[in-house]
Amino acid sequence: MELSGPPFRADHVGSLLRPAQLRTAHEQMLAGKFLLKDLKTLQDDAIREAIALQEAIGLYAITDGEYRRTSFHSDFIEKLEGAHSRGSLAPAAGQFGPRAFEVTGKLRHARSIEVENFLFLKTNTSKTAKQTVPSPTMLLRGGRDAVSREAYPDLAEFHADIAGVYREELSQLGAAGCTYLQLDDTNFAYLCDPKLRGIFREWGCDARQFAGLINAALAERPRGMTVAIHLCRGNSAGNWAAEGAYEPIAEVLFNQVDVDGYFLEYDDARSGGFEPLRFFPRASRKKIVLGLASSKRPLLESKDELKRRIGEAARYAPLERLCLSPQCGFASTFRGNPLGEDDQRRKLERIVEVATEVWGNAR
């Protein structure tokens, strides 16, 4: 049951816990008490160590741990000309409210955003360098009032510009040698939550609109670039923002989104059962990465439990199209989740171990 290329049998979402020194320096930098150039030196060293850790564990997809970011999405979006963070929305369902963005002018991709970071990663690993970016749907929060009417009297032009700036970034990443890209998307997963789904409906958003925007952004993806999407119900210091099974979005997600793989959260009851996987097209070459190990808590999942749940998922989607990962990153913000670096390592080692026993290899 060998697969060709990413996502791999044992994979991970992307972000890793920052070493204490790096976390403290980042906090001080945000307060204006630490120079950015000195922080970069610490980041470079920490990323090399993170790469060595991932390689030693036996992972084939290697990330920079997102060590250069304050949060998984805001750093990227705020580097787009015309887009800005405007704080967080009030909690509607879970333990915190998702971050909101506003568009005050025409969106422009004025400069490459992750190319330099990717090149550093690629230069320092012999494995597959995996680049993560927030999904283009993340700009669709707040409805009409979050988008300048002067810049965009017609929202169709706004959506076209979102897709355009993403196509530019993907083109530059592809030219730099990126062959594995992951879109981190919370909006799709938020549609699973009845309370949040109602809010998005008021904003004029639904699953088909999200699928169309993502497909437009990927329409000119570089040849040879594998693209996966990670669906997240919120991950901030171990807290969550949404709940609900994949049923409301599954048919659109699996059949209308032009990606090669789906990283799905399945670490607890908030994600519901595996029944929505029945919409996965059996003849497809796509892959489903089951996020069965929690990145939010230190308790190590047993091999038997992980294997049992993989078997349950295989009742609805072919076993040969399944992979295994943590449910999310370990540090969607630089502060990280409430578990230790040893816990993180053990969980990643467990994923490699189980994948090897179930499928014969971790690749």
Side-chain angles (χ1 to χ4, degrees), residues 9-13 263-264 289-293 323-327 351:
R9 291 297 190 192
D11 216 310
H12 70 119
V13 172
F263 282 74
L264 303 180
V289 187
L290 300 171
L292 301 180
C323 306
L324 180 64
S325 78
Q327 121 276 344
I351 285 165

Side-chain angles (χ1 to χ4, degrees), residues 19 24 38 82 88 206 208 242 277:
T24 299
D38 294 334
S88 299
D206 60 23
R208 285 181 174 80
L277 300 186

Side-chain angles (χ1 to χ4, degrees), residues 60-77:
Y60 288 89
I62 309 298
T63 75
D64 65 1
E66 300 180 7
Y67 280 1
R68 302 192 195 278
R69 303 185 194 179
T70 297
S71 79
F72 81 97
H73 59 343
S74 63
D75 296 60
F76 183 97
I77 291 174

Side-chain angles (χ1 to χ4, degrees), residues 69 76 114 131-135 166 170 173 181-184:
R69 303 185 194 179
F76 183 97
E114 288 291 345
Q131 181 62 48
T132 63
V133 298
S135 170
Y166 269 81
L170 265 60
L173 283 168
L181 182 91
Q182 178 182 292
L183 302 176
D184 289 321

Side-chain angles (χ1 to χ4, degrees), residues 175-194:
C178 179
T179 59
Y180 187 11
L181 182 91
Q182 178 182 292
L183 302 176
D184 289 321
D185 192 299
T186 60
N187 283 3
F188 248 120
Y190 287 175
L191 293 180
C192 300
D193 191 301

Side-chain angles (χ1 to χ4, degrees), residues 302-319:
S302 73
K303 291 200 298 182
D304 288 344
E305 176 67 7
L306 292 174
K307 290 177 181 178
R308 182 186 67 78
R309 299 199 69 206
I310 291 170
E312 289 180 357
R315 294 171 55 196
Y316 302 98
L319 179 63

